[in-house]
Amino acid sequence: MADLGLFHRRPSLRLPSFPTARRMLRKIGENAHVLIYIYLIASMAVMELVLERYTIGRAQAALTEEIGEQANTLRAKLQGEVMARDLQMRGMAAAITSMPDLSATQFDEIATQVTGDDPMIQMIAAAPDLVIGQIHPAQGNEALIGLNYRDYASVMMAIERARHSGQTVLDGPATLSDDTQGLVLRTPIFVGMNGAEMRRFWGLMSVTLDLNLMLRAAGVPQAGKHLDIALRRPAGDMGPARMIHGDATLFEQAAVRLDVDLPQGKWDLAVRPAGGWPRHVEERRQLRFWMLLGTVLALLIAGYFIEISRRKTSAETNLVKAINAISDGFALFDANDRLVMSNDQFRRSLGSTGDRLRPGLRFEDMLRNGVKSGLYPQAEGREEAWIADRMQAHQAADFEQDELLADGTWLRASERRTADGWTVAFRLDITALKEAQLAAEAANHAKTEFLNVMTHELRTPLTVILGYNAFLKDPSALPANMALTETLADPQATQADLQARQQALLDVVARYSAKMDASGQHLLNLIQETLDYAKIEEGKMQVSPSALPVRGLIEDVVDQFQQQADAKGLDLWAEADEVAVMADETRLKQILFNLVGNALKFTDRGEIAIRTEVVGDTLRFSVIDSGRGIPLHEQDNVFNSFHQVEGSNLRRQGGTGLGLAISRKLVKLHGGAMALQSREGHGSCFSFTIPLA
């Protein structure tokens, strides 16, 4: 008992009395705004740090992606330039394979035809048994005749690689005779009968390319205005690494790196923004300014709401006003599912039935009024079932769905249940969002269709080229060659028989080469059309207008398509004024070629006419056909990018489907406008205006 007495007398922790606690709570309540301010400042500081990292990271990622896209474009153009010359080399090699003993005159004629006086090609040399015997152009290069490649170990490395692989090898860069930098394409040539063991190495075909012209054609100098670009040949079988363009130190720094795949090798490409990657100092400064402003605003808002909380009497009135001021529809239903309050936006979302919306109205009655007035087209024909489904979702208290109204408006309806059983309903007008979504889906579908068409279009000429090339690569399988061989083996064959057989073989080779050339031109046109569209979309397409007589230009267009029109039995004619326009001749012809070409595709009988008419200070060009015409609902879309009318039919006719989009943009670059008049089954008229000179 003594211990108990001692225990009771010990000092203990005592809770403050009720008056003291009330004073403490009151003190905290009076200074709660200070705590809120401190919390807001700390939160905004943390938010500023997070947003700074996110914003700068996103800006760096976006810039890296943009530089990567530009680097990919440069890579594609470089590969395209090299592959274009590689194809020309293959044409020359095929000619030599067919006629290994061709004369210097024949070699010069074939080289002229294949290269088309391409300024990038400096020289073409044929070296039977690795000794240069023929060269184009001959003038100025006579000293190279008789040069033996075996005397140059560095060159033999590339030649041996080409010989063993059987493929074209790109060598260089090397200094040309005029002290310019160049590249060398070396293609091995094999001749002989059918069967690999009977084929022999004839020699080598070499083409010297001007490196500066190639880089200019690929757009490297132009891109170098806003990019640091470096290009090199990496170390490998062809020898040590060699710089082709730019600063070698760029490969040791932070840059976008890509491999440029080339015949029997590759180049390294490094790209970064000119002067280096930005430090995003300006973004940090702007972000901190806006965060500081946001902090001030947040503190002001916090002070405002603190003041509101102190004025209980006016709080409810201000709340109702705020609800009515928001752009979304808002309604509140009590535990018995009867309307308590709603704002004007919610009432407007119910159309004509919104006028009957009154406090106390049940949610189900509101739905029935909307169904009865035809507000919900999805309920048509199944009214009771739709109402039952909608009520079930409403009572689940976790509901959100998109609803289409009869007037075409899209609403996002969402409903949530509060802790005391009340229901909060929102109606958000998402019509613009839905339309954008549908437009994006349509554009994505159109792009997919466009890729399908492009895949088909590119595959067709490639199949033709590879198919005929298989015969030309191994001409011993040709019946004409077999007949020539039999005639040579026949002791009774006359000279006339031999000449006839030889001519037959040459005719077959010429016919196959013509088909390959036509397919190659078609493939080149497809690629050029796609590149033109990409240039226009990137804003890199430029026109150089000059005074251009119209009549002669239109006569050239008619001459270009006259043979195709005659083949289809169509009457192609023109009626042009004796005037001149301010236009880029190449681009104006491209526009007319696209329009007349389309007219020829979709006109089976009748005529196609090209007319001009002076309208004010412009000249209106019109291409009129009697073809199948364009449906009215498609006429607003035919000029859109990636949009195609009757995609399957376009695949049968051929083409990328970009011609009209490119033409309209080219007309716009000239300061004109393009229009369409068409009636399904009765033909079409495409017209555009160009300023007069």
Side-chain angles (χ1 to χ4, degrees):
M1 295 297 295
D3 289 339
L4 287 175
L6 181 60
F7 176 80
H8 283 298
R9 288 192 297 271
R10 287 178 181 173
S12 60
L13 179 63
R14 295 179 178 272
L15 293 174
S17 62
F18 287 112
T20 304
R22 283 196 294 268
R23 284 195 299 272
M24 291 177 62
L25 293 175
R26 187 165 56 250
K27 192 69 172 177
I28 293 175
E30 291 174 354
N31 295 281
H33 61 285
V34 177
L35 298 177
I36 294 175
Y37 292 150
I38 295 174
Y39 173 79
L40 281 175
I41 293 173
S43 300
M44 294 300 287
V46 173
M47 188 181 301
E48 189 273 336
L49 179 62
V50 173
L51 285 177
E52 179 178 320
R53 292 183 178 179
Y54 172 79
T55 302
I56 294 175
R58 186 174 180 180
Q60 290 175 340
L63 181 58
T64 301
E65 182 178 359
E66 178 184 352
I67 297 301
E69 291 176 355
Q70 297 180 24
N72 272 316
T73 300
L74 286 176
R75 175 174 65 178
K77 290 181 178 179
L78 287 168
Q79 291 173 338
E81 293 296 331
V82 174
M83 294 307 297
R85 276 67 197 182
D86 185 30
L87 289 175
Q88 293 175 324
M89 281 286 290
R90 292 178 185 273
M92 286 291 297
I96 295 178
T97 302
S98 301
M99 297 181 293
D101 298 325
L102 53 78
S103 64
T105 302
Q106 291 174 320
F107 177 82
D108 192 71
E109 291 176 354
I110 294 174
T112 302
Q113 293 175 359
V114 171
T115 62
D117 293 330
D118 187 346
M120 194 180 299
I121 297 179
Q122 298 292 300
M123 182 185 68
I124 303 177
D129 197 26
L130 302 184
V131 177
I132 295 179
Q134 295 166 336
I135 197 164
H136 172 84
Q139 184 176 2
N141 296 309
E142 296 86 354
L144 297 177
I145 299 295
L147 184 145
N148 192 333
Y149 285 129
R150 294 185 179 88
D151 297 336
Y152 301 90
S154 60
V155 175
M156 286 301 299
M157 186 183 302
I159 293 175
E160 288 300 322
R161 184 174 183 183
R163 180 176 180 177
H164 286 93
S165 66
Q167 302 293 325
T168 300
V169 171
L170 179 64
D171 192 12
T175 302
L176 305 182
S177 59
D178 56 355
D179 293 332
T180 61
Q181 289 295 305
L183 303 172
V184 182
L185 282 170
R186 307 185 190 278
T187 300
I189 300 176
F190 298 88
V191 297
M193 302 296 291
N194 188 23
E197 68 281 355
M198 302 184 66
R199 292 173 61 82
R200 65 180 179 84
F201 177 66
W202 177 88
L204 190 72
M205 173 70 66
S206 298
V207 170
T208 303
L209 306 177
D210 189 314
L211 177 59
N212 292 331
L213 290 181
M214 174 177 289
L215 294 177
R216 191 182 308 157
V220 173
Q222 184 177 3
K225 296 177 181 178
H226 58 277
L227 295 174
D228 289 337
I229 303 172
L231 192 64
R232 71 179 180 186
R233 188 190 73 185
D237 297 339
M238 301 290 291
R242 297 187 63 181
M243 286 302 299
I244 298 172
H245 175 79
D247 187 357
T249 60
L250 190 59
F251 290 97
E252 310 300 327
Q253 303 173 17
V256 175
R257 298 278 299 275
L258 293 176
D259 291 337
V260 182
D261 295 323
L262 300 170
Q264 290 294 306
K266 66 178 182 178
W267 289 346
D268 287 342
L269 175 64
V271 180
R272 73 174 185 185
W277 298 95
R279 298 181 178 272
H280 301 283
V281 176
E282 183 62 26
E283 287 86 349
R284 286 189 174 93
R285 186 182 296 112
Q286 292 182 3
L287 180 61
R288 289 171 181 173
F289 168 78
W290 288 112
M291 289 304 299
L292 177 60
L293 181 60
T295 302
V296 174
L297 291 176
L299 292 174
L300 292 175
I301 293 172
Y304 173 77
F305 281 106
I306 290 172
E307 184 64 22
I308 289 296
S309 67
R310 294 176 180 177
R311 301 180 181 182
K312 246 181 178 182
T313 305
S314 60
E316 294 180 0
T317 303
N318 289 335
L319 178 61
V320 172
K321 291 180 179 179
I323 290 174
N324 277 318
I326 62 176
S327 59
D328 301 340
F330 173 86
L332 181 64
F333 295 86
D334 63 16
N336 296 320
D337 222 10
R338 294 184 178 276
L339 181 65
V340 176
M341 64 175 297
S342 63
N343 65 356
D344 295 338
Q345 293 291 343
F346 190 88
R347 287 189 290 273
R348 281 195 288 269
S349 70
L350 298 177
S352 60
T353 63
D355 297 336
R356 289 178 280 174
L357 197 62
R358 298 288 184 272
L361 181 68
R362 294 191 310 159
F363 185 84
E364 182 176 354
D365 294 335
M366 182 186 72
L367 287 180
R368 290 188 178 277
N369 291 337
V371 170
K372 186 177 180 180
S373 65
L375 181 64
Y376 306 107
Q378 62 269 32
E380 185 176 352
R382 52 183 299 271
E383 288 79 2
E384 291 300 326
W386 185 86
I387 292 174
D389 292 342
R390 185 65 176 81
M391 285 300 300
Q392 182 178 1
H394 169 73
Q395 291 166 0
D398 189 12
F399 167 77
E400 181 173 295
Q401 76 173 19
D402 297 341
E403 297 178 344
L404 175 62
L405 304 186
D407 61 355
T409 301
W410 280 93
L411 292 179
R412 177 158 293 166
S414 60
E415 293 157 14
R416 297 291 184 269
R417 188 70 54 82
T418 65
D420 54 0
W422 289 33
T423 302
V424 181
F426 291 94
R427 299 292 184 269
L428 174 63
D429 188 342
I430 59 169
T431 304
L433 179 63
K434 273 290 184 180
E435 291 175 350
Q437 177 184 347
L438 295 175
E441 291 173 354
N444 185 60
H445 175 74
K447 286 184 180 180
T448 302
E449 183 68 15
F450 166 75
L451 290 176
N452 291 336
V453 171
M454 279 298 297
T455 302
H456 173 78
E457 286 300 316
L458 293 174
R459 187 187 300 118
T460 300
L462 280 175
T463 302
V464 173
I465 293 171
L466 294 176
Y468 284 109
N469 186 61
F471 287 104
L472 296 180
K473 184 173 66 176
D474 188 10
S476 59
L478 294 173
N481 188 68
M482 295 179 181
L484 177 60
T485 303
E486 293 175 358
T487 304
L488 290 171
D490 186 0
Q492 298 180 355
T494 65
Q495 184 66 24
D497 293 335
L498 289 174
Q499 291 178 351
R501 297 298 186 186
Q502 182 182 18
Q503 185 61 42
L505 177 59
L506 292 176
D507 291 342
V508 170
V509 172
R511 186 169 67 255
Y512 285 5
S513 298
K515 291 183 180 293
M516 292 172 63
D517 181 69
S519 296
Q521 289 297 327
H522 178 54
L523 182 62
L524 183 61
N525 289 337
L526 291 174
I527 296 172
Q528 186 61 49
E529 190 171 73
T530 306
L531 291 177
D532 283 347
Y533 179 80
K535 285 183 180 179
I536 293 174
E537 288 298 300
E538 294 174 3
K540 296 180 179 179
M541 177 65 74
Q542 296 180 351
V543 295
S544 301
S546 61
L548 182 65
V550 172
R551 183 182 291 273
L553 181 140
I554 292 182
E555 289 176 354
D556 291 345
V557 174
V558 172
D559 292 341
Q560 178 76 21
F561 290 98
Q562 190 65 61
Q563 185 177 359
Q564 298 180 38
D566 293 342
K568 295 188 70 175
L570 300 175
D571 184 13
L572 175 61
W573 58 278
E575 187 178 80
D577 294 293
E578 283 285 0
V579 295
V581 294
M582 288 299 297
D584 186 312
E585 180 177 1
T586 301
R587 297 307 175 186
L588 182 54
K589 280 188 176 181
Q590 183 177 357
I591 297 167
L592 290 171
F593 283 170
N594 280 336
L595 297 182
V596 177
N598 278 349
L600 281 169
K601 285 181 184 179
F602 301 106
T603 303
D604 298 324
R605 58 180 179 273
E607 64 178 5
I608 298 172
I610 306 174
R611 292 177 177 173
T612 64
E613 179 185 3
V614 176
V615 180
D617 58 353
T618 65
L619 184 68
R620 181 166 60 204
F621 294 77
S622 298
V623 177
I624 308 163
D625 65 68
S626 58
R628 67 195 64 172
I630 300 173
L632 182 62
H633 66 278
E634 290 282 2
Q635 293 183 17
D636 291 336
N637 300 320
V638 293
F639 296 108
N640 291 344
S641 303
F642 304 112
H643 183 84
Q644 299 175 348
V645 181
E646 299 177 356
S648 60
N649 183 59
L650 279 182
R651 282 191 291 273
R652 290 195 299 271
Q653 296 290 347
T656 63
L658 289 176
L660 288 178
I662 293 174
S663 297
R664 186 177 69 167
K665 293 178 183 294
L666 289 176
V667 169
K668 188 175 181 181
L669 287 175
H670 282 84
M674 180 171 284
L676 164 66
Q677 291 179 331
S678 182
R679 182 180 172 192
E680 192 171 5
H682 293 78
S684 303
C685 173
F686 287 87
S687 62
F688 62 93
T689 57
I690 298 293
L692 289 169

